[in-house]
Amino acid sequence: FISPLIYIILALILQKNGGLGAGQIYGILRDTAEDMTKREVEVVPGPGNSLFSPLPSGFDFDSGEGFVDAAAAVTATPSP
């Protein structure tokens, strides 16, 4: 499953360099993602009251590679 936001970012990357392959695009998205460092484990009503646990750095099955950073991904895309 790919969210509509990712399709937009893919379009921007391919607009900058239409010759990139899927592996290259995946690498750009992975390398520029912002790592998620904590996971919400208990939702408690009220601002800032939820309980969190730390996540290991890098890929994990809770957050994948992290948050997509569209600006960083397009900037990191090489010109053709």
Side-chain angles (χ1 to χ4, degrees):
F1 170 74
I2 296 179
S3 76
L5 175 62
I6 298 298
Y7 280 117
I8 293 168
I9 297 168
L10 290 174
L12 293 171
I13 289 171
L14 290 172
Q15 183 179 25
K16 184 172 179 183
N17 185 345
L20 294 175
Q24 293 168 301
I25 294 170
Y26 177 78
I28 291 168
L29 291 172
R30 181 194 62 230
D31 294 344
T32 58
E34 288 291 322
D35 197 18
M36 297 174 82
T37 58
K38 60 184 179 179
R39 163 187 43 206
E40 191 170 33
V41 292
E42 184 179 343
V43 178
V44 179
N49 294 331
S50 293
L51 301 176
F52 295 90
S53 69
L55 288 171
S57 61
F59 177 84
D60 59 79
F61 289 103
D62 289 320
S63 64
E65 300 291 353
F67 294 108
V68 175
D69 185 337
V74 173
T75 299
T77 301
S79 298

